[in-house]
Amino acid sequence: MPPSPDPLNLQFLHKWSQVEADCRELEARGHCSAFQTIAWLRPFYGQLAPALGLEPLFLRVSHRDASQPLMLWPLVRDRRLGLSMLSFADAGISDYNAPLVVREGLPPATWSRALQALRRQGHVLRLDKLQTHLGGPPSPLLAAMGAAAAELSFGSWAVNLPRTFEDYERLALSPAFTKDLAMRWRRLQRKGNVRFELARTPDARRRAFEALVRQRARRFAETGRDDILGRAEFRRCYEMAAVEEPGETVRLFTLAVDETVVAVMLAIDHEGTRHMVMPSFEAGEWKNCSPGNLLISMSIRDAIEAGLSRYDFTIGDETYKAGFGATRQPMHGGLLPLSFTGACAVHGVRLARALRQRLARSRPAPSPQPTA
């Protein structure tokens, strides 16, 4: 008896224009993270991927007898030193990575099929910044990865929002934290007329974005950290998403005193959640007012009034997030070899990592320094 025909069609595509309609459909009728929306992916594939020399690669899954997509994986291929590495459309600008899928989900075998199909496309598949849950149930992608999926050193933080801001303050914040925010707000009001605004027009968005870039450059220079917006290709990608993309997905909020913008936030509203992507604030004379925290508080109030049910501080274990009532969820990632060459490369990476950890454990603790 001949085998039944495969009900699924797995197809590899190489241009954003070939999948933009699928992305729009799955964003509207399926599930994706905030960082796999059109507003985020179009600047990535249009600006950042070419600037970094990354090749677009999309895995499209559909029923063989229907044209509608069931799943779309937005990937890139990076070729270096004879090794072909596949990874999500990220390059450091996305906090979560996941395929776009139909909302009802897919059979577990589909995910294994997809991973198997990718073996013909490269040597190593890097799956990073994966959430434990993908639109509800435990992520089937993590299950398909098996032992290759490991918990990352950082988590993501979010808080569920009640119906009113007063309930949020009562249920999520400590009395001391609420009192401190009120004190900082009074200090700020004594400096002038305070305004919290969503930048709605192209000119307003551009001014807000320029303030974001300026504030981050100053703060990162003071702390000696690398600012991703200091690289022209990354700045241009963020600018396209925040300033030039139409729609209400990517947003810029500002907190101003008179004519001085003292804090800016780039955020993404998606599937009932506000994602805080990139905050910035002025220091110096404004430091004792904590304009960054005040902007976050106002953004949470605005999200509640807009009917959103969750506020996501995204990745990173900064201590201030717990102060706003957020709780930590683990993040996962891993390297999957797709060929013998890839298996050798992954083995080498794991050996080097184990060696670094062993050396760190064997290094003697520093001797205590005498006090003056």
Side-chain angles (χ1 to χ4, degrees):
M1 183 176 180
S4 58
D6 191 340
L8 295 179
N9 180 38
L10 280 70
Q11 181 183 13
F12 286 100
L13 302 168
H14 303 276
K15 295 180 180 179
W16 168 251
S17 59
Q18 295 174 304
V19 301
E20 184 169 353
D22 291 333
C23 184
R24 181 176 291 105
E25 180 172 344
L26 287 171
E27 182 179 336
R29 304 178 185 277
H31 173 79
C32 64
S33 92
F35 300 93
Q36 283 76 54
T37 57
I38 286 182
W40 206 251
L41 289 180
R42 184 157 44 200
F44 176 87
Y45 284 109
Q47 159 62 31
L48 190 57
L52 298 179
L54 303 174
E55 303 174 31
L57 179 67
F58 304 95
L59 173 56
R60 184 184 192 273
V61 180
S62 62
H63 285 301
R64 187 165 294 278
D65 57 354
S67 60
Q68 288 80 9
L70 298 174
M71 177 167 63
L72 181 71
W73 278 32
L75 300 165
V76 290
R77 180 162 45 204
D78 188 13
R79 303 180 191 269
R80 295 184 184 180
L81 302 176
L83 193 70
S84 180
M85 172 79 77
L86 307 182
S87 59
F88 274 106
D90 182 349
I93 71 165
S94 298
D95 289 347
Y96 303 136
N97 290 316
L100 298 90
V101 297
V102 290
R103 192 165 296 277
E104 59 269 25
L106 297 170
T110 307
W111 298 88
S112 300
R113 284 277 311 282
L115 293 176
Q116 186 67 29
L118 288 168
R119 294 185 179 277
R120 302 190 299 272
Q121 301 298 320
H123 297 115
V124 178
L125 173 62
R126 178 184 180 183
L127 297 176
D128 200 11
K129 302 178 186 174
L130 302 177
Q131 295 173 283
T132 306
H133 293 78
L134 182 63
S139 170
L141 180 53
L142 286 178
M145 288 178 65
E151 185 172 335
L152 301 178
S153 60
F154 56 86
S156 67
W157 293 73
V159 57
N160 292 327
L161 300 177
R163 293 186 177 182
T164 68
F165 186 75
E166 290 70 27
D167 284 342
Y168 164 73
E169 287 185 312
R170 178 173 56 84
L171 298 172
L173 306 185
S174 70
F177 193 81
T178 302
K179 183 178 179 180
D180 183 73
L181 282 177
M183 177 191 68
R184 308 279 181 178
W185 183 255
R186 290 192 297 271
R187 286 180 183 174
L188 194 67
Q189 287 180 312
R190 286 196 290 267
K191 293 179 177 291
N193 179 40
V194 180
R195 301 187 315 279
F196 167 81
E197 294 179 334
L198 168 64
R200 297 184 182 277
T201 68
D203 286 345
R205 290 198 297 268
R206 187 165 300 281
R207 289 194 299 270
F209 183 76
E210 289 172 354
L212 174 77
V213 172
R214 184 173 60 252
Q215 290 171 1
R216 281 178 58 91
R218 184 182 302 120
R219 180 162 57 94
F220 279 64
E222 291 172 352
T223 58
R225 296 162 56 199
D226 181 47
D227 179 14
I228 194 171
L229 294 184
R231 296 179 58 180
E233 62 272 31
F234 284 90
R235 172 175 172 168
R236 179 62 184 139
C237 184
Y238 279 102
E239 183 180 31
M240 290 176 65
V243 177
E244 300 173 12
E245 278 291 318
E248 295 293 323
T249 302
V250 182
R251 298 179 158 220
L252 282 166
F253 295 96
T254 61
L255 187 66
V257 178
D258 294 331
E259 301 305 314
T260 301
V261 176
V262 296
V264 185
M265 179 193 298
L266 189 155
I268 303 177
D269 285 1
H270 179 63
E271 294 189 355
T273 298
R274 176 160 296 166
H275 302 77
M276 187 184 74
V277 179
M278 185 177 286
S280 69
F281 53 87
E282 293 287 354
E285 63 175 297
W286 305 99
K287 186 176 182 179
N288 70 346
C289 300
S290 297
N293 278 357
L294 292 179
L295 177 56
I296 292 172
S297 176
M298 293 302 296
S299 173
I300 293 174
R301 179 190 289 272
D302 179 80
I304 292 173
E305 293 175 352
L308 302 182
S309 60
R310 189 171 173 83
Y311 197 94
D312 194 334
F313 292 83
T314 67
I315 60 174
D317 292 332
E318 296 87 351
T319 55
Y320 76 87
K321 296 178 180 181
F324 282 98
T327 56
R328 187 181 189 273
Q329 295 294 322
M331 300 289 291
H332 293 81
L335 297 174
L336 283 175
L338 303 175
S339 67
F340 176 76
T341 300
C344 293
V346 171
H347 183 63
V349 168
R350 290 171 179 166
L351 281 178
R353 184 182 300 151
L355 180 60
R356 287 195 300 270
Q357 292 173 347
R358 184 175 180 180
L359 289 174
R361 288 194 298 268
S362 63
R363 189 176 294 120
S367 302
Q369 299 296 315
T371 58

